[in-house]
Amino acid sequence: MTRCHRSLIVLAVFVSCVLAGCASTPASPPSENAGVRALAPGVFLLRGDYAPPRQPDGNSVVFEGPDGLLVVDTGRHAAHARRLLELAAARGKPVQAVLNTHWHLDHIGNNPALRAAFPRLEVHASAAIDGALVGFLADYRRQLQAQLAGGGDAAARADWQAEIARIDAGAALRPDRVVQADAERMLAGRPRRIGHAADAVTAGDLWLWDAASGVLAAGDLVTLPAPFFDTACPRRWSAELARIEDVPFTTLVPGHGAPMDRDGFRTYRRAFGQLLACADGTAPAADCISGWQRDAAPLLPDPAQAALARDLLAYYFQAVLRGPRAGRHCPVDGSA
Ligand SMILES: [Zn+2]
């Protein structure tokens, strides 16, 4: 059993298996600097890094405004922050605003590094991190400490210690401007539409649509090779995908994986709905998982990704979709 498979404890560790230890790295598209790809004039994608066996970074989307940059999600590792800073230097503009789609560490971990480089920047996010810091992330920190006490090789120990340091950044991870509902905000000098979803992937998720470019940054509401259900309310999540389809975007950037067009998103949404319907029925989990692989096949051209989706979903069926944590992150009022 590999280290990553021993670590199916909590999301942040589990995702390290998903995106670092068990996945192949897709070919990099042409870029202006390492890992950066222009999606539209003034819109850049920094793909989340895959560096086995280290933990992943989520995708970052950078929107250039007249006098500065908006960064949607900051990644986790220092190398990801460095690439964002290099991009800012290449464009000759400061980062004026950060929008975090959700509080998972692969999306907010570099907030402190960007704040240090650009002290005037403002972070916009939902308030859900407050609950996470005393709940999920506090539990995760205890598990990391237990892992450290249990040994591990030098590289693993360094990763665990870095992860604890990220959590201990606390206030520097939190938003300066809380987004509690759908909003239109001027970010980096341009109006941007922000969608807010309560109890979807986390207790508070955001997505951002830039009308000028047609680019929508979806965070982990769209995630490949399979949805990550660790902190999710699946039915609320499904409802949010329906709302996103109503937005006239042309390019959607998922939290992990390659950008997709509208057809790609429809494929994802249909596969997601079929997966939940199957999970609610009596079919064997293996059949539901094969269904996902079949339905999402156009989005999973790499056989290694399809295989990884199978392993992930096997875990989620057992632990979440048909397991003891089913409905745990859904509202208690039954509205899910
Ligand atoms: Zn993520």
Side-chain angles (χ1 to χ4, degrees), residues 102 104 106-107 220 256:
H102 61 296
H104 292 168
D106 50 333
H107 298 260
D220 281 3
H256 302 270

Side-chain angles (χ1 to χ4, degrees), residues 7-18 55-56 76 102-107 136-137 140 143 163 201-202 220 228-231 315-316 325:
S7 303
L8 301 183
I9 306 168
V10 292
L11 171 77
V13 174
F14 185 53
V15 170
S16 74
C17 167
V18 173
Q55 295 183 321
R76 171 188 250 127
H102 61 296
W103 57 259
H104 292 168
L105 291 177
D106 50 333
H107 298 260
F136 192 99
L137 289 173
Y140 177 38
Q143 290 172 3
E163 201 77 331
V201 180
T202 67
D220 281 3
F228 302 156
F229 289 108
D230 303 73
T231 58
Y315 164 75
Y316 286 126
R325 286 155 53 197

Side-chain angles (χ1 to χ4, degrees), residues 23 60 192 239 293 302:
S60 292
R192 326 276 179 174
Q293 290 177 303
D302 181 348

Side-chain angles (χ1 to χ4, degrees), residues 73 91 166 178 236 239 266:
D73 288 340
R91 307 310 297 177
R166 281 181 200 103
V178 172
R236 286 288 187 107
R266 280 191 207 101

Side-chain angles (χ1 to χ4, degrees), residues 60-238:
S60 292
V61 191
V62 178
F63 296 89
E64 185 171 351
D67 303 311
L69 307 178
L70 160 66
V71 175
V72 178
D73 288 340
T74 60
R76 171 188 250 127
H77 293 109
H80 193 95
R82 218 161 29 242
R83 292 190 194 107
L84 289 172
L85 296 176
E86 286 168 3
L87 178 60
R91 307 310 297 177
K93 293 179 180 176
V95 177
Q96 292 180 318
V98 163
L99 182 130
N100 292 134
T101 57
H102 61 296
W103 57 259
H104 292 168
L105 291 177
D106 50 333
H107 298 260
I108 67 169
N110 282 322
N111 285 8
L114 292 192
R115 286 185 191 278
F118 303 104
R120 298 177 65 183
L121 79 77
E122 290 189 323
V123 174
H124 301 250
S126 82
I129 189 173
D130 291 340
L133 282 169
V134 295
F136 192 99
L137 289 173
D139 289 344
Y140 177 38
R141 191 186 189 286
R142 281 190 284 275
Q143 290 172 3
L144 289 163
Q145 285 183 307
Q147 284 176 297
L148 277 169
D153 60 43
R157 293 178 65 80
D159 282 347
W160 297 335
Q161 278 161 340
E163 201 77 331
I164 288 172
R166 281 181 200 103
I167 295 168
D168 289 348
L173 301 171
R174 297 181 66 257
D176 305 298
R177 300 289 192 90
V178 172
V179 181
Q180 303 193 79
D182 291 351
E184 182 113 350
R185 288 195 180 180
M186 289 295 288
L187 300 174
R190 297 244 164 83
R192 326 276 179 174
R193 179 171 159 194
I194 302 169
H196 176 277
D199 305 308
V201 180
T202 67
D205 300 314
L206 304 180
W207 47 264
L208 180 135
W209 181 52
D210 177 60
S213 63
V215 173
L216 189 148
D220 281 3
L221 288 159
V222 180
T223 291
L224 295 170
F228 302 156
F229 289 108
D230 303 73
T231 58
C233 177
R235 276 169 289 201
R236 286 288 187 107
W237 183 344
S238 187

